[in-house]
Amino acid sequence: QVQLVESGGGSVQAGGSLRLSCAASGRTGVMYAMGWFRQAPGKEREFVAAISWSGGSTNYADSVKGRFTMSIDNAKNTMYLRMNSLKPEDTAVYYCALDPGYQIPVTPAGYEYWGQGTQVTVSS
């Protein structure tokens, strides 16, 4: 089993920045992918970004490219999402996810383990 705990959410004005963290514990395995998804009220959960266990491969949704940056610290089993130039439309609950294996999924169905979510609110 794997446990994921997110932190770093909060409220910020448009144009501001936040950094989300996701700490993984348990049997993550050697190879895995980690991802961030978000879900706004009344909307489906959508892909934000994903990263390989080594940090060598990343994938970003078009809506966040150039503004969000993922990184991973394997020694700490922690993933980070740096969010700059935040917009009101970025407001959502952000979830981190982990999937053992070589692939880097970009859909929620591709991930086996999920965190509890952290709220990000961007005001105009």
Side-chain angles (χ1 to χ4, degrees), residues 50-102:
I51 192 167
S52 62
W53 68 278
S54 66
S57 296
T58 54
N59 195 340
Y60 296 93
D62 288 343
S63 59
V64 306
K65 279 181 182 176
R67 300 188 298 122
F68 291 11
T69 304
M70 283 190 72
S71 60
I72 192 166
D73 185 335
N74 297 114
K76 297 181 179 179
N77 275 358
T78 300
M79 170 182 67
Y80 305 95
L81 182 67
R82 177 67 180 182
M83 305 185 294
N84 295 328
S85 302
L86 282 162
K87 305 175 181 180
E89 50 264 43
D90 294 318
T91 295
V93 177
Y94 283 70
Y95 297 89
C96 74
L98 183 147
D99 195 69
Y102 297 91

Side-chain angles (χ1 to χ4, degrees), residues 8 16 24-25 40 42 63 84 88 90 112 114 118:
S25 60
S63 59
N84 295 328
D90 294 318
E112 183 172 353
W114 290 86
T118 185

Side-chain angles (χ1 to χ4, degrees), residues 1-2 4 33 97-101 105 107-115:
Q1 288 293 328
V2 173
L4 302 174
L98 183 147
D99 195 69
T107 63
Y111 287 86
E112 183 172 353
Y113 301 103
W114 290 86

Side-chain angles (χ1 to χ4, degrees), residues 30-52:
V30 177
M31 301 285 189
Y32 54 86
M34 296 189 77
W36 286 100
F37 290 78
R38 65 188 182 187
Q39 189 166 18
K43 295 187 176 181
E44 294 186 351
R45 191 167 297 191
E46 66 172 1
F47 170 74
V48 175
I51 192 167
S52 62

